[in-house]
Amino acid sequence: MIHQNTEAGRTISKSHSSFRKIVVSSLIFLIIAGFLLDIMLGSVSIPFREVVRILFEQTSEQTAWLYIVQKIRIPKAITAVLVGCGLSVSGLQMQTLFRNPLAGPSELGITAGAALGVAVVMLSNGHITSMPAIRQLGISGSWLIVVAASMGSALVLFLVVLIAGRIRDNVVLLIVGVMIGTITLSVISIWQYFSQPEQLQEYILWTFGSLGGVTDYHLYVLAGTVIMGLVLAFASSKALNVLLLGENYARSMGLTVGWARAIILASTSLLTGSITAFCGPIGFIGIAVPQLTRSLFNTSNHRVLIPCTCLIGTLLMLACDIIAHMPGSQTVLPINIVTSLLGAPVVIWIIVTRSNLRASFV
Amino acid sequence: MTARKSILTAVDLSIGYRLSKGQTYKIAGHLQLNLWQGELVCLLGPNGAGKSTLMRTLAGLHPALEGYISITNLPLSDLKPQDLARKLSMVLTERVEAGNLTVYELVALGRYPYTSWLGTLTAKDVTKVYEAMDVIGITAYQHRSIQYLSDGERQKVMLARALAQDTDMIMLDEPTAHLDLPSRVEMMQLLHQLAKKTQKAILLSTHELDLALQAADKVWLLLPDGNLQVGTPEDLVLKGAFESAFARNGLHFDQATGGFVLHRDNQGPVIGLSGHKDLVFWTRRALQREGFRIETDQTNAYRIEALFTNNQPDWTLYQNGISVQYNSMAELLAALQLWKNN
């Protein structure tokens, strides 16, 4: 009897995992295609054969193409991969930790916290938060920005966690998160109010978000921080799985909840903080990608979810970047506009299909 | 037969809350508790008596004010969370809402204290998970997502998860609270069999008095004054412990039936009742509901005789020597109401 059941169970899970393998391999294929496409397309069109040659032989007919691909487009595509992975995974962690399908880095005001962290550093320097300003800093300066942004997001996250301990209602928590985000942004606004018009323009450009301009050691700093955050996230996947049952159950199964929460918060702050510092506040990826992954893979197991959100997040970010460059034209749309255009309908879809949002965590 | 193993011991335990400035609010003190293997113990008591606090204190989730608790002869305070999780598993009242989680996956989470840092299940873990699902009888729907389960099925899944945790003791906080009557009876039966079959110690708090009295090997009755009565259900009933525990206006614990009686302080007219015992039982309930006081005295001026004629119930109402026959309770009650109102 027991053996029969076990057999039946294994066959079903086998067909399940073969479906997953198909999805994962097609995702990887699409990501490679998207990566190449992202390098090929842009205001200057470079033929596919040349792109491959530059990638594998590091030579090209035109030195301008070599420079564009190596110094601009590859760093930008790698940044897209890092942003896609980082924001999606931090969104996933927040949704599980707060047991709230609408939680995400920008929704709970975490990106606003990161912006505040960046602003504080810049203010003490007498400059304004902007990519050019960050770029002018040396390697120690970019680390400083990452630390400040991560601390800013950790501060907001910590506040949200404190309030979440008192308020169990999903929607109320979300409103509180939005309010904390508003307060943080208004602090930045006060400082903006006393700024020069040209500085303001730079700040507003920063809020549009940009994947470009993260080059050289900035890219190493961003990559190092995001990988650290992802490793922490993966290490906490077992804890995230038991946290699905709620903190009390998790505790009864031997989880030290405070410790687990600290690791998850550290991971989320590092991911959101570093990405926001370099690329501006990019919205909706953090909330939409975990939802898409859950419905595609039909699981809540974080050991599957974390790698798979990385894949989908990467693919979506690459797609957004391709769309932002509007192939065939000279115009470049800000990345934040594209992610919002794609992401906002997903959020509306979640709210409409989950009419019992208040009671359930999906 | 080997001697039974003690699973949980509490000596001179005081439970309650620490307020500010070193003050304490004590709920109950000097509790001496023992839980043996294979024993099903029901913790009963009126709302607000401190059942939850006692459960949480015994589970190490809430600090004790004074006293000593040990689980399998190891002091609770010395056990690390991971070690405690291998000795004590819990089923809580909170509803688990985790979409996209199958029954199998949820039960497998019970193996948490045994798996590596990544949570990989070994062959032994998988065997334990299937054993737990087989004992509870949920293997048939192991691949169903838990959001599509009924409350009763869901509670069984949570119990299977606690079982997969492979502990000496399972604690359940009001496991029957959200269930309908058949599921409640089934859950209590299951817990009773589980204690006997697996020799685990099971402690559960419940408001299900009549079910608890039937299923429990022992009852811990926590009174509002902080007094804890321990004994077999029958001893406690016969000692009158329940009457004092639930002493409230209009509520009366009937020792004869082991349940509560709603209409005890009737002031209505007196009526005699006799006949077949089943019919007398149900007629008495109907009459009490209507406010009559019942006497078994046959000489009363007004009396009812309830008998089966050709396997059909019928009631004869004698009023001052006149007798009228009724074929249903409704007719009888209608006639009595007329008389009562005049």
Side-chain angles (χ1 to χ4, degrees):
Chain A
M1 171 87 185
I2 293 172
H3 282 281
Q4 247 176 4
N5 286 331
T6 320
E7 284 304 310
R10 293 216 173 117
T11 25
I12 291 174
S13 61
K14 212 177 263 174
S15 74
H16 218 70
S17 68
S18 69
F19 168 75
R20 267 180 205 166
K21 268 178 202 151
I22 294 168
V23 176
V24 167
S25 36
S26 39
L27 277 176
I28 291 173
F29 174 76
L30 285 172
I31 286 170
I32 294 171
F35 196 87
L36 289 176
L37 213 60
D38 194 34
I39 295 171
M40 264 168 69
L41 301 172
S43 45
V44 177
S45 193
I46 302 172
F48 178 70
R49 211 193 304 144
E50 280 302 304
V51 168
V52 174
R53 240 183 97 190
I54 294 168
L55 280 179
F56 292 103
E57 296 169 25
Q58 343 260 279
T59 54
S60 178
E61 295 169 15
Q62 296 191 27
T63 38
W65 287 357
L66 188 68
Y67 180 82
I68 289 173
V69 170
Q70 284 189 335
K71 293 286 170 195
I72 298 174
R73 294 204 183 159
I74 289 178
K76 186 170 61 81
I78 292 175
T79 308
V81 172
L82 292 173
V83 169
C85 291
L87 288 182
S88 321
V89 168
S90 68
L92 174 70
Q93 293 189 96
M94 260 180 265
Q95 287 174 11
T96 302
L97 187 66
F98 294 114
R99 307 219 289 154
N100 190 331
L102 288 178
S106 48
E107 287 69 22
L108 292 182
I110 319 298
T111 41
L116 185 67
V118 173
V120 165
V121 172
M122 287 302 171
L123 190 63
S124 62
N125 281 353
H127 294 294
I128 183 108
T129 322
S130 65
M131 277 317 297
I134 294 174
R135 260 179 251 142
Q136 280 159 19
L137 295 166
I139 187 138
S140 58
S142 61
W143 275 116
L144 186 67
I145 292 290
V146 168
V147 169
S150 301
M151 300 247 290
S153 35
L155 181 78
V156 172
L157 252 179
F158 185 70
L159 271 178
V160 175
V161 166
L162 269 188
I163 294 166
R166 290 170 171 269
I167 301 168
R168 289 268 162 231
D169 192 303
N170 279 337
V171 175
V172 173
L173 178 66
L174 207 66
I175 295 169
V176 169
V178 171
M179 288 304 124
I180 291 180
T182 312
I183 293 169
T184 320
L185 286 176
S186 57
V187 172
I188 299 172
S189 299
I190 293 173
W191 159 62
Q192 268 181 284
Y193 181 75
F194 293 105
S195 301
Q196 300 301 315
E198 52 269 26
Q199 290 180 315
L200 261 183
Q201 196 192 358
E202 286 187 335
Y203 177 79
I204 286 164
L205 275 178
W206 178 77
T207 59
F208 281 142
S210 163
L211 297 177
V214 187
T215 51
D216 298 335
Y217 47 77
H218 295 303
L219 189 59
Y220 295 130
V221 170
L222 180 64
T225 321
V226 167
I227 288 169
M228 198 156 45
L230 290 178
V231 167
L232 279 181
F234 199 68
S236 66
S237 60
K238 187 186 173 187
L240 285 166
N241 278 344
V242 280
L243 279 171
L244 283 174
L245 301 188
E247 279 175 21
N248 286 328
Y249 269 117
R251 200 170 281 131
S252 85
M253 281 186 260
L255 178 78
T256 323
V257 173
W259 182 233
R261 208 192 252 162
I263 291 179
I264 294 167
L265 291 191
S267 160
T268 311
S269 310
L270 281 177
L271 291 170
T272 314
S274 60
I275 290 169
T276 309
F278 284 113
C279 307
I282 296 175
F284 290 104
I285 292 290
I287 182 170
V289 172
Q291 298 295 344
L292 289 173
T293 315
R294 277 197 202 92
S295 55
L296 190 61
F297 288 88
N298 207 9
T299 183
S300 286
N301 185 356
H302 288 80
R303 272 207 301 153
V304 179
L305 279 179
I306 290 177
C308 291
T309 39
C310 281
L311 291 180
I312 295 183
T314 302
L315 184 61
L316 211 66
M317 239 11 243
L318 286 171
C320 285
D321 193 38
I322 293 169
I323 295 170
H325 280 87
M326 306 229 304
S329 78
Q330 300 291 315
T331 332
V332 179
L333 286 178
I335 193 74
N336 210 354
I337 294 178
V338 183
T339 57
S340 302
L341 277 176
L342 284 178
V346 175
V347 175
I348 294 173
W349 168 71
I350 298 164
I351 293 172
V352 171
T353 52
R354 312 272 171 230
S355 48
N356 59 341
L357 203 62
R358 200 174 280 266
S360 79
F361 171 70
V362 178
Chain B
M1 192 177 152
T2 49
R4 284 200 303 171
K5 213 167 77 180
S6 165
I7 303 294
L8 180 131
T9 316
V11 183
D12 279 332
L13 178 69
S14 291
I15 57 167
Y17 294 90
R18 279 178 214 286
L19 308 171
S20 54
K21 294 171 196 161
Q23 288 183 318
T24 55
Y25 172 68
K26 195 194 267 186
I27 291 171
H30 299 291
L31 305 176
Q32 321 289 338
L33 300 167
N34 264 304
L35 203 60
W36 302 89
Q37 66 176 130
E39 198 174 53
L40 178 70
V41 173
C42 287
L43 173 60
L44 298 168
N47 275 338
K51 294 196 294 295
S52 300
T53 312
L54 178 57
M55 297 272 280
R56 289 171 54 82
T57 309
L58 292 178
L61 297 173
H62 185 84
L65 292 182
E66 317 172 307
Y68 168 84
I69 304 169
S70 74
I71 288 181
T72 58
N73 294 322
L74 296 164
L76 182 66
S77 48
D78 289 0
L79 284 169
K80 283 188 229 129
Q82 193 97 359
D83 298 331
L84 180 61
R86 295 182 184 207
K87 304 200 172 295
L88 168 69
S89 55
M90 300 190 81
V91 175
L92 306 167
T93 35
E94 60 196 64
R95 195 179 158 91
V96 168
E97 295 284 1
N100 290 329
L101 207 59
T102 64
V103 169
Y104 172 83
E105 285 174 320
L106 202 156
V107 176
L109 283 181
R111 299 301 298 167
Y112 180 89
Y114 302 93
T115 53
S116 65
W117 68 278
L118 265 179
T120 326
L121 295 180
T122 62
K124 189 192 168 202
D125 291 321
V126 174
T127 315
K128 287 277 180 193
V129 170
Y130 275 103
E131 268 175 25
M133 288 196 297
D134 283 330
V135 168
I136 308 293
I138 56 168
T139 321
Y141 48 89
Q142 54 167 315
H143 294 293
R144 245 200 279 165
S145 182
I146 58 156
Q147 74 235 46
Y148 301 121
L149 298 181
S150 72
D151 285 342
E153 290 167 333
R154 195 183 282 253
Q155 196 65 313
K156 281 200 221 164
V157 173
M158 294 318 291
L159 180 58
R161 188 210 56 79
L163 208 56
Q165 210 173 321
D166 200 18
T167 53
D168 296 312
M169 178 175 169
I170 302 179
M171 246 189 223
L172 304 97
D173 195 5
E174 299 193 22
T176 56
H178 305 292
L179 309 183
D180 60 9
L181 187 61
S183 310
R184 279 189 292 215
V185 174
E186 198 189 350
M187 180 54 74
M188 287 300 245
Q189 271 174 341
L190 196 59
L191 289 171
H192 181 76
Q193 290 163 4
L194 206 59
K196 298 288 160 270
K197 214 190 282 178
T198 61
Q199 285 298 299
K200 289 179 191 301
I202 299 181
L203 172 66
L204 65 111
S205 71
T206 180
H207 290 288
E208 223 55 58
L209 200 64
D210 47 344
L211 283 178
L213 292 183
Q214 289 179 58
D217 296 308
K218 217 186 264 172
V219 165
W220 295 357
L221 179 64
L222 190 59
L223 305 178
D225 60 4
N227 200 348
L228 184 87
Q229 304 245 10
V230 177
T232 60
E234 294 74 17
D235 278 340
L236 290 184
V237 169
L238 295 172
K239 258 178 19 190
F242 287 96
E243 286 181 54
S244 52
F246 294 96
R248 275 192 221 161
N249 290 343
L251 204 60
H252 171 62
F253 184 81
D254 189 359
Q255 284 193 2
T257 60
F260 288 104
V261 179
L262 277 177
H263 315 280
R264 195 198 173 201
D265 305 323
N266 282 342
Q267 302 297 328
V270 181
I271 196 161
L273 179 62
S274 63
H276 187 276
K277 71 174 171 43
D278 289 352
L279 280 177
V280 165
F281 175 80
W282 290 105
T283 312
R284 174 191 296 271
R285 286 171 63 126
L287 292 177
Q288 280 178 335
R289 188 169 67 234
E290 293 297 327
F292 288 97
R293 279 177 289 169
I294 318 290
E295 278 183 3
T296 38
D297 186 5
Q298 298 296 314
T299 58
N300 200 293
Y302 286 84
R303 67 186 179 86
I304 297 165
E305 194 171 42
L307 286 170
F308 281 107
T309 324
N310 303 325
N311 278 332
Q312 293 296 316
D314 75 47
W315 290 265
T316 316
L317 175 62
Y318 298 92
Q319 312 177 51
N320 302 322
I322 312 158
S323 72
V324 189
Q325 204 165 337
Y326 300 95
N327 295 320
S328 76
M329 189 75 82
E331 288 173 28
L332 174 71
L333 292 180
L336 285 173
Q337 243 153 16
L338 261 178
W339 164 61
K340 196 171 116 187
N341 293 340
N342 288 329

Short mmCIF file of all heavy atoms in Angstrom, two decimals, chain B residues 9 66 77 82 108 121 158-160 175 190 198 218 222 232 246 248 271 280 324 328 331-332 339:
data_model
loop_
_atom_site.label_atom_id
_atom_site.label_comp_id
_atom_site.label_asym_id
_atom_site.label_seq_id
_atom_site.Cartn_x
_atom_site.Cartn_y
_atom_site.Cartn_z
N THR B 9 7.13 16.80 31.99
CA THR B 9 6.93 16.99 33.43
C THR B 9 7.02 18.48 33.73
O THR B 9 7.89 19.16 33.21
CB THR B 9 8.03 16.27 34.24
OG1 THR B 9 8.24 14.99 33.68
CG2 THR B 9 7.63 16.14 35.68
N GLU B 66 7.62 30.81 37.20
CA GLU B 66 8.46 30.03 38.11
C GLU B 66 8.29 28.58 37.73
O GLU B 66 7.39 28.22 36.97
CB GLU B 66 7.99 30.15 39.57
CG GLU B 66 7.62 31.51 40.03
CD GLU B 66 6.99 31.50 41.41
OE1 GLU B 66 6.02 30.74 41.63
OE2 GLU B 66 7.48 32.26 42.25
N SER B 77 14.51 24.61 29.24
CA SER B 77 15.32 25.82 29.05
C SER B 77 16.67 25.50 28.41
O SER B 77 17.30 26.38 27.83
CB SER B 77 15.53 26.52 30.40
OG SER B 77 15.94 25.56 31.36
N GLN B 82 16.16 23.91 17.57
CA GLN B 82 16.24 22.78 16.65
C GLN B 82 16.04 21.45 17.38
O GLN B 82 15.41 20.54 16.85
CB GLN B 82 17.62 22.82 15.98
CG GLN B 82 17.76 21.91 14.78
CD GLN B 82 17.53 22.67 13.47
OE1 GLN B 82 17.25 23.86 13.50
NE2 GLN B 82 17.64 21.97 12.36
N ALA B 108 5.88 17.48 4.01
CA ALA B 108 7.34 17.35 3.96
C ALA B 108 8.04 18.48 4.71
O ALA B 108 9.16 18.30 5.19
CB ALA B 108 7.81 17.30 2.51
N LEU B 121 15.42 16.50 0.95
CA LEU B 121 14.85 15.35 1.63
C LEU B 121 15.66 14.10 1.28
O LEU B 121 15.90 13.81 0.11
CB LEU B 121 13.40 15.14 1.21
CG LEU B 121 12.39 16.21 1.59
CD1 LEU B 121 11.01 15.83 1.08
CD2 LEU B 121 12.34 16.43 3.08
N MET B 158 -2.39 19.27 8.46
CA MET B 158 -1.54 19.89 9.47
C MET B 158 -1.12 18.86 10.53
O MET B 158 -0.01 18.91 11.05
CB MET B 158 -2.26 21.07 10.13
CG MET B 158 -2.55 22.25 9.22
SD MET B 158 -1.23 22.69 8.10
CE MET B 158 0.00 23.34 9.23
N LEU B 159 -2.04 17.94 10.84
CA LEU B 159 -1.71 16.89 11.80
C LEU B 159 -0.65 15.96 11.22
O LEU B 159 0.30 15.56 11.91
CB LEU B 159 -2.98 16.11 12.17
CG LEU B 159 -2.81 14.98 13.18
CD1 LEU B 159 -2.23 15.49 14.48
CD2 LEU B 159 -4.14 14.30 13.45
N ALA B 160 -0.79 15.62 9.93
CA ALA B 160 0.21 14.76 9.27
C ALA B 160 1.57 15.44 9.27
O ALA B 160 2.60 14.80 9.44
CB ALA B 160 -0.23 14.44 7.84
N PRO B 175 -7.89 21.92 17.93
CA PRO B 175 -7.84 21.34 16.58
C PRO B 175 -9.22 21.18 15.94
O PRO B 175 -9.30 21.00 14.73
CB PRO B 175 -7.19 19.97 16.81
CG PRO B 175 -7.48 19.63 18.22
CD PRO B 175 -7.51 20.93 18.96
N LEU B 190 -9.33 10.07 15.49
CA LEU B 190 -8.00 9.95 14.89
C LEU B 190 -6.93 10.18 15.95
O LEU B 190 -5.96 9.41 16.05
CB LEU B 190 -7.90 11.00 13.78
CG LEU B 190 -6.79 10.86 12.77
CD1 LEU B 190 -6.92 9.53 12.06
CD2 LEU B 190 -6.90 11.99 11.75
N THR B 198 0.84 5.01 17.97
CA THR B 198 2.21 5.48 17.84
C THR B 198 2.89 5.70 19.18
O THR B 198 4.08 5.98 19.23
CB THR B 198 2.25 6.82 17.08
OG1 THR B 198 1.51 7.77 17.84
CG2 THR B 198 1.63 6.69 15.70
N LYS B 218 -7.02 11.40 29.96
CA LYS B 218 -6.93 12.24 31.15
C LYS B 218 -7.40 13.64 30.77
O LYS B 218 -7.26 14.05 29.62
CB LYS B 218 -5.48 12.29 31.62
CG LYS B 218 -5.34 12.31 33.12
CD LYS B 218 -3.89 12.50 33.49
CE LYS B 218 -3.18 11.19 33.78
NZ LYS B 218 -1.72 11.41 33.94
N LEU B 222 -8.68 23.48 33.66
CA LEU B 222 -8.14 24.74 34.19
C LEU B 222 -9.30 25.65 34.58
O LEU B 222 -10.11 26.01 33.73
CB LEU B 222 -7.24 25.41 33.14
CG LEU B 222 -6.40 26.59 33.61
CD1 LEU B 222 -5.48 26.19 34.75
CD2 LEU B 222 -5.60 27.16 32.46
N THR B 232 -8.98 11.33 35.38
CA THR B 232 -9.71 10.75 34.26
C THR B 232 -11.01 11.51 34.12
O THR B 232 -11.51 12.07 35.10
CB THR B 232 -10.01 9.26 34.50
OG1 THR B 232 -10.79 9.18 35.69
CG2 THR B 232 -8.74 8.44 34.66
N PHE B 246 -17.76 25.56 35.07
CA PHE B 246 -18.61 26.26 34.11
C PHE B 246 -19.83 26.88 34.79
O PHE B 246 -20.87 27.04 34.16
CB PHE B 246 -19.05 25.31 33.00
CG PHE B 246 -17.90 24.85 32.15
CD1 PHE B 246 -17.28 23.64 32.41
CD2 PHE B 246 -17.43 25.63 31.12
CE1 PHE B 246 -16.20 23.21 31.63
CE2 PHE B 246 -16.36 25.21 30.34
CZ PHE B 246 -15.75 24.00 30.60
N ARG B 248 -22.21 29.24 35.56
CA ARG B 248 -22.66 30.55 35.08
C ARG B 248 -24.18 30.53 35.08
O ARG B 248 -24.79 29.48 35.15
CB ARG B 248 -22.19 30.80 33.65
CG ARG B 248 -20.80 31.35 33.56
CD ARG B 248 -20.54 31.84 32.17
NE ARG B 248 -19.20 31.47 31.78
CZ ARG B 248 -18.80 31.44 30.52
NH1 ARG B 248 -19.64 31.70 29.56
NH2 ARG B 248 -17.57 31.11 30.23
N ILE B 271 -45.63 19.37 35.52
CA ILE B 271 -46.34 18.35 34.76
C ILE B 271 -45.67 17.01 35.00
O ILE B 271 -44.46 16.94 35.20
CB ILE B 271 -46.37 18.75 33.26
CG1 ILE B 271 -47.43 17.94 32.52
CG2 ILE B 271 -45.02 18.58 32.60
CD1 ILE B 271 -47.82 18.58 31.20
N VAL B 280 -39.51 9.39 26.76
CA VAL B 280 -39.47 10.27 27.92
C VAL B 280 -38.31 11.25 27.79
O VAL B 280 -38.44 12.45 28.04
CB VAL B 280 -39.36 9.45 29.23
CG1 VAL B 280 -38.94 10.34 30.40
CG2 VAL B 280 -40.68 8.76 29.53
N VAL B 324 -56.58 12.81 26.34
CA VAL B 324 -56.56 13.08 24.91
C VAL B 324 -55.27 12.48 24.34
O VAL B 324 -54.22 12.55 24.97
CB VAL B 324 -56.58 14.60 24.60
CG1 VAL B 324 -56.79 14.86 23.11
CG2 VAL B 324 -57.64 15.29 25.43
N SER B 328 -48.10 13.41 17.45
CA SER B 328 -46.80 14.07 17.22
C SER B 328 -46.52 15.03 18.36
O SER B 328 -47.43 15.49 19.05
CB SER B 328 -46.79 14.80 15.88
OG SER B 328 -47.53 16.00 16.01
N GLU B 331 -48.29 18.48 17.98
CA GLU B 331 -49.70 18.55 18.44
C GLU B 331 -49.77 18.65 19.95
O GLU B 331 -50.51 19.47 20.50
CB GLU B 331 -50.46 17.29 17.98
CG GLU B 331 -50.74 17.25 16.50
CD GLU B 331 -51.34 15.91 16.07
OE1 GLU B 331 -52.00 15.26 16.91
OE2 GLU B 331 -51.10 15.51 14.92
N LEU B 332 -48.94 17.81 20.62
CA LEU B 332 -48.93 17.82 22.07
C LEU B 332 -48.54 19.20 22.61
O LEU B 332 -49.19 19.74 23.50
CB LEU B 332 -47.95 16.75 22.58
CG LEU B 332 -47.70 16.74 24.09
CD1 LEU B 332 -48.94 16.22 24.84
CD2 LEU B 332 -46.50 15.89 24.45
N TRP B 339 -53.17 25.35 27.23
CA TRP B 339 -53.46 25.18 28.65
C TRP B 339 -52.61 26.13 29.48
O TRP B 339 -53.09 26.77 30.41
CB TRP B 339 -53.19 23.71 29.03
CG TRP B 339 -53.08 23.50 30.51
CD1 TRP B 339 -54.04 23.74 31.44
CD2 TRP B 339 -51.93 23.04 31.22
NE1 TRP B 339 -53.59 23.45 32.69
CE2 TRP B 339 -52.28 23.01 32.58
CE3 TRP B 339 -50.67 22.63 30.86
CZ2 TRP B 339 -51.41 22.58 33.58
CZ3 TRP B 339 -49.81 22.22 31.85
CH2 TRP B 339 -50.17 22.20 33.19
#
